[in-house]
Amino acid sequence: MIDQLKEIQQAFTTAAAQAQTAEQIEALRVEFLGRKAGRLNEVLRTVKTLPPEERKTVGAAANAVRLEIEEKLETFLRAAQSSGASDVPAQDLTLPGLPPRMGHVHPLTQVFDELMSIFTSMGFMVYEGPELENDFYNFEALNFPQDHPARDIQDTFFIKTPITRAEKHSFPTDRGWVMRTHTSNMQVRVMEEFQPPLRCIIPGRAFRNEATDASHEFTLYQMEGFIVDTDITIGHLFWTLRELFQQLYKKPVKIRLRPGYFPFTEPSYEVDMSCLFCEQKGCRVCKQTGWLEMGGSGMIHPNVFKAAGYQAGKYTGFAFGMGPMRLAMLKYGIPDIRLFMENDTRFLEQF
Amino acid sequence: MKFSYSWLQEFAPQLPSTEKIMAELTTHSVEVEGIESGAAYSGVVVGRIEHVEKHPNADRLSVCRVNIGSSVERIVCGGVNLSEGMDVAVATVGARVRWHGEGEPITLEAATIRGVESRGMICSSDELDLSAEFPKKEEREILNLTHLNIAVGTPLAQALGNNDALIDIDNKSMTHRPDLFSHVGMAREMAAVFGVPFVYATSQAIPTGLGKLDIQIDKATGCRRYIGIELNVAVGNTPVHIQQRLQACGIKSINNVVDITNYVMLELGQPLHAFDADRVTGGKIVVRNARVGEKMHTLDKEEKLLDESVVVIADTQQPIAVAGVIGGLDSGVTAQTKRIILEIANFEPVRVRQAAVKLGTRTESALRFEKNPSAELCTVAAARTVELLQQHAAGEVVAYTDLYPQQEQLKTITLTAEDVERLAGVAIPMKDIQELLQRLECQLDVTTAAGVTTLEVSAPWFRRDLNIPEDIIEEIVRLYGLDRITPQNLTGILRVPEHEPELPLVWEIRKKLPVMGLTEVYNYSFYGEELMRAVGFDPKQEHIEILNPLSDEFRYLRVNLLPRMLENIVRNQQHQKQLALFEIGHVYFADREVRQLGIVVMQKTDAYRTVRGIAEQLLRELHVPYTTTLTNQTADCPFWNSYAEGRALRVNAGEAIAGTIAEIHPDVLKRMGIDMPVAFATLSIPVLHAHGGVAPKMKPISLYPAITLDLSIIVDAGLAWSSVESIVRQEAGELLQSLMVFDIFTGGKIPAGKKSISLRMVMQSRQRTLEMKEMEQWREQLMAVFNKQFGVQLRDK
């Protein structure tokens, strides 16, 4: 009986060497493993006539042969299919994949996410705050003299309807409500809520009453950031800005601070970054200057600390602001700022 | 503002080159926007016409032989006043000229004109932007330079003494520095930045003991000082060097008197005005608020309607100038003027700015006054103006009055060397600090006590912007050099940031919804009545109105994200067959401002179930336990008109309303021009935040196999699925693992007024293997209950 099994094994090996196509392999399977006339089954049918002790050994041996044949058939079949010798149509691997149904996050969200991830890893809190804001937090507390041009009716949207919001702190002066003109409105709100040391960024929406064109939007996005501690210096501001832009653009950049003017910082600085596109050789993007204007910054004005109720002279801090719309335009090569609010899916789906 | 380099050099003779100014002024002081170098009229030279003959093929053209020093060229020209021996301006090949005085400058090339080769161009004054200096008398007249008597071949710039460079400074970068809106101020600033000497000799004081003028300042006008000077003058031509400087800075020459007032403004930053004294009725000057309905013809030849907010200068009868903004036409200086009243005054910046905005007249004067210059400047400017009028207009002072109710006080600012280092982050030696501040003309008193060096800084009168120690530190650091500040790593107490509480939830939603196929949109916070009416909102209800909207389309603040999201569909429906969008944004009410999530889906079928599926999946992902209730149209919600009748579902979380899921009313879609069904879900972020984040309790996984049972029943078409569902849940108890509807069908063999619902139940026990037979029996029981409740029929097994 065992010999018979060896014979079958031998015969299979010989026959298998000839088999190439899937049909030939299938024929082999029928010949050797077929339920009715398979050669192995013929042997197995006689097993029950054997004495019990022999039955066990032969049964095991027969089973081993069956497994071996099955395994080999499987291997041959796979080889036959991949060699193309089969009639079974093979997968065209050059066909495009079936796309999963996915939506897209707005490009500005993506820029904000990057900024937030850089700053939260340095321990900055994220606050967004209200967009409809009292004049006190938007201007007065930020040391905007009452005659500052930014308060002019040209730049600010004023609210006609009476506002009845409950506020945690009463306003020392209440000159009405506006759509916030910058996200700096949160500086004093956050300072009122927390004591230094304080690190905070304020991503969000702001509004300027001006005509829209390819580079101006009346609804704009800003990211304000500030730090308050006992000994914050211009050197810290410098380092933080450089770190930010290097992380954002994933390459070494130079930062240049130059004198500027903002009522809520003293000293105040404009922030320039070495041009990303020309290695400062001068190009169209940087208008041949080698520098890109990235935002404003400065050391927090003592009057802002005063408005927040901080002890005079105890703290110093810096603040900076930048436009994520500009960052996104630089990053993705977006030529027109109006595309952000048009919500054409053919634009949004690119990001 | 444009500054003449040579004019600046008059006060700071050792100024560095314009290239160095361009490179370094920006980093130490103000932003240089550009430099127009002395290359004006490059390639244009003085030439002499040696021969003129008619063009063989064109009646209106001539062919000239012109000597330009280095060569003799043949040039075709259309000028009518060409003559032999005439000196002309010749643009050689490669020069840039404004063709026929129009359009952008072009680069000149050699050309063949009607068969005659021409190398260069004989220019008219407008082709060289010189029409102000050399007005044309005829259309086709070329510029005649013979009277200047200049050697042939001399570059035109040199011939005209116009070899100056102009430095253009961004006004925005000096908005806090009124002293810089003048050549003296800018020269002083540059001298400080570059460490070179600054020289300015103030003019001799106006002699006292003269006659007085009758001047009156009304209290509520905010006029801080008014110097009036009456002079006899001879109106005439202005000296060329003054004309040239005015022109370089963009100011038109008028006559010597007016030009001198403008010249002093550009030199010292003090705006001035000259009235014709014989046209000032009653000989009296009154600074007062205008009266309602008063009108005035201003120098720009417009009639302006005034009101009480505008401060005017008036005589005994009527306004003769808008204070600090513009003079009146009737009282202006003309060729006939013999006597003038000179005004050198200081007005409140806010009032000047408001008046300029109101009248729509942005003048050089208003520009300077709104920056808040010192009233002390009036003294210097008055003396200088009188000096120039004496020199160039036969000026003779008759009367002088100076009303200066409250003299400006100088501030003393105290700070220590440590204060500087604490903010700057670098230790700047005291010697340097002193030197830098002295460059700025600050007076210093330095004392050292107990090892602490204290500086008492008195700012000069023209620096009213220096008030606190930080102002002084800013000055020190910028002159010292910002590039010498060393970056310092942030250090400090490490703390895990505590964000605004709702924000992490917002970030999570923004991550989850795109995975479900939704694209994020950012819409304006405003909309107008037209859109509100289209979506069925009432502008009078709940909406906050903007006082000064950009346009009617942006008059109201949104109370819901729906209207603009429907617009997004309109925008995209042409190129998309299906749309699924979301937005997270603020909505605004008088008593609160909250974040809202909006989801819209536009698709042919099942829009509502798609939106509901997304909303519910999101609620589960955020672990917000919720219930839903069918809602009928109610009056408590101003948006209800947007929803199809009886097609809205309320989502509740605890006691709070978390949001609504609804089909948009077909009338709304029709008004918006949307062709496919749209469904909308709105969820309140504060409610999700308050009720979400409930940690799920783990359920053990059963070791026993599950059995799937399908069932199709025929019920009344109006029967709600929720009734079927509650029976299944009640009958199945805890064995039911999941329940879903996989088909709803009407028509065909289903009787009219009925529908078939096919449902699939997965049953599983945690204790044992369920037998198929047992479950089939249970299904029979379930059918019996259905039958009793709704008279249900089994469709087919």
Side-chain angles (χ1 to χ4, degrees):
Chain A
M1 206 63 108
I2 297 290
D3 294 343
Q4 245 178 309
L5 282 173
K6 277 187 182 156
E7 228 170 84
I8 291 171
Q9 209 174 356
Q10 191 63 46
F12 174 76
T13 312
T14 319
Q18 312 295 320
Q20 295 208 332
T21 66
E23 283 84 51
Q24 290 163 336
I25 293 163
E26 177 59 16
L28 274 183
R29 197 188 62 77
V30 174
E31 182 185 344
F32 288 91
L33 300 181
R35 202 176 282 194
K36 285 178 184 158
R39 289 171 67 173
L40 195 61
N41 267 347
E42 275 171 20
V43 177
L44 286 174
R45 266 197 284 275
T46 59
V47 168
K48 53 182 173 236
T49 63
L50 294 172
E53 57 276 21
E54 221 173 306
R55 224 187 275 178
K56 216 175 177 184
T57 12
V58 176
N63 219 25
V65 171
R66 186 173 57 86
L67 279 175
E68 192 195 322
I69 294 176
E70 270 176 359
E71 213 169 273
K72 282 191 172 153
L73 282 171
E74 191 68 20
T75 316
F76 292 152
L77 190 64
R78 240 181 277 137
Q81 277 169 353
S82 62
S83 74
S86 151
D87 290 347
V88 175
Q91 266 276 28
D92 179 356
L93 297 183
T94 65
L95 284 173
L98 297 173
R101 221 182 103 73
M102 284 276 284
H104 298 262
V105 219
H106 196 280
L108 287 174
T109 299
Q110 297 186 35
V111 171
F112 272 128
D113 281 350
E114 276 188 65
L115 291 169
M116 288 193 294
S117 119
I118 293 165
F119 280 103
T120 54
S121 72
M122 293 195 281
F124 283 67
M125 310 188 288
V126 184
Y127 265 71
E128 197 177 82
E131 291 167 2
L132 197 175
E133 179 60 288
N134 193 275
D135 177 278
F136 175 73
Y137 288 113
N138 195 73
F139 291 128
E140 194 81 26
L142 294 177
N143 193 41
F144 274 76
Q146 220 213 314
D147 53 358
H148 194 276
R151 284 189 154 192
D152 227 316
I153 195 141
Q154 292 174 350
D155 303 317
T156 310
F157 287 116
F158 297 96
I159 304 298
K160 189 174 174 185
T161 313
I163 299 299
T164 56
R165 292 184 184 176
E167 287 283 339
K168 218 164 181 176
H169 304 266
S170 61
F171 312 122
T173 56
D174 186 354
R175 296 186 212 277
W177 294 76
V178 299
M179 296 310 287
R180 67 175 171 190
T181 55
H182 44 200
T183 64
S184 319
N185 70 318
M186 285 303 287
Q187 275 192 20
V188 170
R189 281 187 181 274
V190 170
M191 287 184 206
E192 282 175 339
E193 205 64 26
F194 301 92
Q195 287 299 308
L198 197 50
R199 296 178 184 188
C200 185
I201 55 168
I202 306 126
R205 185 178 269 214
F207 309 85
R208 297 277 167 91
N209 191 350
E210 57 181 15
T212 298
D213 63 30
S215 46
H216 296 90
E217 247 297 351
F218 74 95
T219 294
L220 49 129
Y221 289 83
Q222 278 200 334
M223 200 197 73
E224 172 92 2
F226 69 93
I227 284 195
V228 184
D229 206 338
T230 46
D231 288 293
I232 297 295
T233 70
I234 300 169
H236 291 123
L237 168 64
F238 220 122
W239 179 86
T240 308
L241 290 169
R242 192 180 63 188
E243 191 64 17
L244 160 66
F245 289 115
Q246 296 197 149
Q247 292 294 333
L248 197 61
Y249 292 106
K250 312 272 185 278
K251 63 178 186 177
V253 297
K254 273 188 252 168
I255 294 295
R256 178 174 84 169
L257 297 181
R258 58 185 162 83
Y261 172 70
F262 308 105
F264 47 112
T265 49
E266 187 68 47
S268 300
Y269 301 110
E270 301 283 348
V271 180
D272 292 343
M273 176 182 69
S274 52
C275 182
L276 296 167
F277 303 96
C278 65
E279 308 291 329
Q280 294 201 290
K281 288 189 193 79
C283 67
R284 195 183 48 81
V285 184
C286 64
K287 293 179 194 136
Q288 309 303 330
T289 63
W291 295 98
L292 298 171
E293 291 183 25
M294 302 307 289
S297 68
M299 304 306 288
I300 296 173
H301 197 288
N303 288 353
V304 175
F305 289 141
K306 194 174 156 195
Y310 286 177
Q311 191 189 320
K314 189 170 179 187
Y315 301 110
T316 60
F318 67 68
F320 58 87
M322 61 191 59
M325 283 172 148
R326 177 164 165 76
L327 301 183
M329 288 168 89
L330 284 174
K331 183 167 178 163
Y332 301 118
I334 298 169
D336 191 324
I337 199 166
R338 288 169 293 199
L339 286 163
F340 289 116
M341 303 291 281
E342 270 175 6
N343 297 309
D344 192 310
T345 54
R346 291 168 295 186
F347 169 76
L348 297 172
E349 282 167 5
Q350 295 179 37
F351 304 98
Chain B
M1 179 181 169
K2 284 180 177 165
F3 292 89
S4 151
Y5 182 58
S6 65
W7 199 348
L8 293 169
Q9 279 177 311
E10 199 177 309
F11 312 118
Q14 296 173 37
L15 272 191
S17 67
T18 51
E19 289 75 24
K20 192 171 161 75
I21 290 174
M22 175 90 184
E24 293 181 22
L25 196 64
T26 298
T27 52
H28 289 88
S29 174
V30 291
E31 191 177 341
V32 183
E33 286 208 312
I35 295 198
E36 292 165 33
S37 70
Y41 321 122
S42 126
V44 184
V45 298
V46 176
R48 181 162 298 150
I49 302 177
E50 294 183 338
H51 181 74
V52 187
E53 60 184 36
K54 265 185 57 69
H55 192 291
N57 307 320
D59 285 349
R60 287 158 71 98
L61 295 179
S62 307
V63 180
C64 305
R65 196 169 72 227
V66 187
N67 182 350
I68 59 166
S70 55
S71 63
V72 177
E73 302 289 357
R74 183 164 58 179
I75 298 173
V76 174
C77 181
V80 290
N81 54 334
L82 298 164
S83 68
E84 284 170 17
M86 183 179 179
D87 285 347
V88 290
V90 177
T92 55
V93 171
R96 287 175 69 76
V97 292
R98 204 178 293 280
W99 195 267
H100 296 311
E102 288 164 2
E104 287 299 302
I106 53 129
T107 303
L108 201 64
E109 289 168 20
T112 302
I113 301 168
R114 296 276 187 111
V116 178
E117 204 203 350
S118 175
R119 290 184 53 82
M121 185 167 105
I122 300 173
C123 301
S124 64
S125 59
D126 52 2
E127 282 166 331
L128 294 165
D129 293 335
L130 282 168
S131 31
E133 294 82 346
F134 303 99
K136 289 208 284 193
K137 288 184 209 72
E138 285 185 63
E139 176 53 33
R140 290 166 60 222
E141 176 185 88
I142 55 122
L143 173 56
N144 186 347
L145 297 173
T146 318
H147 68 283
L148 294 176
N149 215 0
I150 295 158
V152 160
T154 309
L156 185 67
Q158 195 183 325
L160 299 177
N162 199 349
N163 226 351
D164 199 8
L166 286 179
I167 302 170
D168 193 0
I169 306 287
D170 181 8
N171 281 359
K172 266 203 307 245
S173 74
M174 49 185 200
T175 180
H176 57 305
R177 293 285 304 272
D179 61 311
L180 297 186
F181 285 82
S182 68
H183 281 75
V184 166
M186 187 55 77
R188 184 162 43 210
E189 174 74 6
M190 288 183 178
V193 166
F194 296 105
V196 297
F198 167 74
V199 278
Y200 184 75
T202 45
S203 310
Q204 216 167 17
I206 297 163
T208 50
L210 297 159
K212 291 279 168 208
L213 276 97
D214 190 0
I215 302 173
Q216 177 193 321
I217 302 177
D218 283 3
K219 269 213 182 80
T221 56
C223 174
R224 296 161 174 170
R225 188 176 187 180
Y226 199 105
I227 299 178
I229 308 173
E230 187 186 327
L231 297 105
N232 294 326
V233 291
V235 176
N237 288 331
T238 308
V240 174
H241 78 277
I242 290 184
Q243 273 194 42
Q244 279 177 352
R245 283 185 168 174
L246 291 180
Q247 192 228 336
C249 297
I251 292 182
K252 217 169 89 189
S253 171
I254 294 170
N255 58 48
N256 52 357
V257 173
V258 174
D259 287 1
I260 284 168
T261 62
N262 283 328
Y263 187 82
V264 172
M265 176 181 74
L266 292 179
E267 181 174 286
L268 289 164
Q270 171 70 45
L272 315 96
H273 188 67
F275 298 103
D276 183 332
D278 293 320
R279 287 163 177 250
V280 175
T281 313
K284 182 177 179 178
I285 298 280
V286 185
V287 184
R288 61 164 168 86
N289 292 326
R291 297 177 186 123
V292 180
E294 258 182 335
K295 285 177 187 168
M296 191 179 79
H297 277 96
T298 47
L299 280 170
D300 53 7
K301 300 196 174 76
E302 282 182 38
E303 191 184 53
K304 307 281 187 190
L305 182 64
L306 310 172
D307 65 32
E308 284 162 313
S309 72
V310 177
V311 181
V312 294
I313 314 301
D315 57 18
T316 52
Q317 285 188 344
Q318 60 187 355
I320 52 174
V322 177
V325 181
I326 194 164
L329 190 62
D330 299 338
S331 58
V333 174
T334 66
Q336 284 74 46
T337 300
K338 301 278 176 272
R339 251 172 5 111
I340 60 166
I341 293 172
L342 202 58
E343 165 193 299
I344 305 114
N346 191 288
F347 303 103
E348 186 172 338
V350 193
R351 300 291 298 268
V352 172
R353 184 177 173 83
Q354 284 170 350
V357 170
K358 174 158 258 158
L359 303 184
T361 312
R362 305 279 294 170
T363 57
E364 292 281 331
S365 168
L367 170 78
R368 285 170 175 79
F369 277 126
E370 67 187 36
K371 306 292 185 276
N372 199 12
S374 167
E376 291 291 311
L377 181 58
C378 296
T379 319
V380 188
R384 176 65 170 153
T385 315
V386 167
E387 179 183 64
L388 287 170
L389 286 171
Q390 284 167 345
Q391 283 171 10
H392 304 296
E396 200 183 0
V397 180
V398 178
Y400 174 92
T401 293
D402 178 2
L403 294 188
Y404 192 9
Q406 198 173 6
Q407 195 171 354
E408 278 169 17
Q409 296 301 309
L410 291 184
K411 260 208 172 144
T412 305
I413 305 151
T414 308
L415 71 160
T416 65
E418 285 71 27
D419 289 338
V420 180
E421 187 178 349
R422 186 185 180 206
L423 213 58
V426 285
I428 302 173
M430 186 43 78
K431 189 171 63 64
D432 292 355
I433 291 177
Q434 289 187 36
E435 200 263 324
L436 295 172
L437 289 177
Q438 274 155 2
R439 281 196 210 168
L440 294 171
E441 299 187 26
C442 288
Q443 307 250 329
L444 294 181
D445 192 357
V446 184
T447 51
T448 304
V452 178
T453 305
T454 305
L455 283 158
E456 297 246 336
V457 185
S458 305
W461 60 265
F462 48 84
R463 291 299 303 273
R464 297 185 66 209
D465 58 308
L466 301 181
N467 294 303
I468 57 171
E470 286 77 7
D471 292 331
I472 301 298
I473 297 169
E474 174 167 49
E475 298 298 298
I476 296 168
V477 172
R478 73 185 177 88
L479 291 184
Y480 178 75
L482 279 154
D483 50 346
R484 292 164 76 185
I485 303 276
T486 326
Q488 284 173 283
N489 284 58
L490 286 182
T491 55
I493 295 167
L494 206 56
R495 203 156 60 178
V496 176
E498 254 179 272
H499 304 306
E500 186 175 331
E502 285 173 18
L503 288 180
L505 175 71
V506 170
W507 301 333
E508 208 180 335
I509 296 173
R510 284 200 169 120
K511 282 202 178 69
K512 291 192 185 300
L513 290 180
V515 180
M516 300 186 210
L518 276 78
T519 290
E520 188 184 21
V521 291
Y522 276 33
N523 280 301
Y524 290 122
S525 298
F526 315 88
Y527 43 61
E529 279 197 36
E530 203 182 316
L531 182 58
M532 290 157 87
R533 292 200 193 288
V535 298
F537 285 13
D538 180 356
K540 306 235 161 25
Q541 220 175 337
E542 298 226 45
H543 283 94
I544 292 172
E545 190 178 346
I546 301 289
L547 186 68
N548 53 333
L550 200 62
S551 70
D552 278 342
E553 202 200 329
F554 303 107
R555 182 173 290 280
Y556 297 94
L557 285 176
R558 66 185 179 192
V559 295
N560 194 301
L561 300 175
L562 176 65
R564 289 281 180 199
M565 294 190 86
L566 288 178
E567 276 194 338
N568 299 151
I569 291 182
V570 174
R571 182 177 184 93
N572 289 294
Q573 64 180 352
Q574 300 306 322
H575 55 88
Q576 299 279 46
K577 287 198 187 70
Q578 192 264 357
L579 277 165
L581 307 173
F582 79 99
E583 176 170 13
I584 303 171
H586 292 214
V587 290
Y588 316 85
F589 302 90
D591 60 343
R592 68 196 190 280
E593 178 176 333
V594 287
R595 290 189 185 85
Q596 194 183 52
L597 162 67
I599 297 171
V600 287
V601 166
M602 172 202 81
Q603 64 190 24
K604 220 173 208 149
T605 53
D606 283 341
Y608 165 80
R609 288 190 64 193
T610 306
V611 168
R612 182 173 176 176
I614 293 165
E616 288 187 299
Q617 182 66 31
L618 182 70
L619 289 165
R620 281 191 296 272
E621 295 268 326
L622 301 175
H623 306 296
V624 181
Y626 68 95
T627 57
T628 56
T629 40
L630 270 183
T631 331
N632 288 315
Q633 189 158 344
T634 54
D636 67 348
C637 179
F639 327 120
W640 220 260
N641 292 333
S642 314
Y643 304 148
E645 259 177 70
R647 315 286 269 158
L649 186 77
R650 187 146 265 175
V651 182
N652 312 293
E655 296 296 300
I657 297 171
T660 307
I661 304 168
E663 255 173 48
I664 300 303
H665 200 291
D667 289 352
V668 171
L669 297 182
K670 202 170 157 194
R671 284 195 295 263
M672 296 288 299
I674 297 171
D675 306 328
M676 263 190 224
V678 173
F680 174 66
T682 167
L683 291 170
S684 155
I685 301 289
V687 173
L688 299 192
H689 177 254
H691 294 88
V694 180
K697 282 272 169 286
M698 198 211 105
K699 290 185 203 120
I701 298 164
S702 174
L703 297 170
Y704 303 97
I707 286 179
T708 303
L709 295 173
D710 286 356
L711 184 63
S712 291
I713 53 177
I714 295 170
V715 295
D716 285 345
L719 185 71
W721 160 254
S722 55
S723 325
V724 177
E725 180 184 356
S726 62
I727 288 177
V728 176
R729 292 197 185 278
Q730 191 187 317
E731 293 298 312
E734 62 175 12
L735 291 183
L736 185 71
Q737 298 305 304
S738 77
L739 169 64
M740 62 175 277
V741 197
F742 66 92
D743 189 34
I744 291 173
F745 181 71
T746 52
K749 288 180 189 157
I750 309 299
K754 298 277 179 186
K755 67 180 172 189
S756 152
I757 303 177
S758 301
L759 45 136
R760 175 167 295 163
M761 299 160 289
V762 177
M763 313 292 283
Q764 191 176 30
S765 161
R766 249 179 254 156
Q767 284 84 33
R768 60 194 177 87
T769 304
L770 297 176
E771 296 295 331
M772 194 62 191
K773 202 171 274 172
E774 176 194 357
M775 284 297 102
E776 278 166 357
Q777 272 169 15
W778 174 78
R779 184 164 58 186
E780 297 302 320
Q781 263 177 24
L782 179 64
M783 274 306 296
V785 179
F786 278 148
N787 219 340
K788 201 165 131 205
Q789 294 278 341
F790 318 123
V792 145
Q793 290 172 257
L794 193 61
R795 197 171 142 206
D796 45 15
K797 274 197 196 165

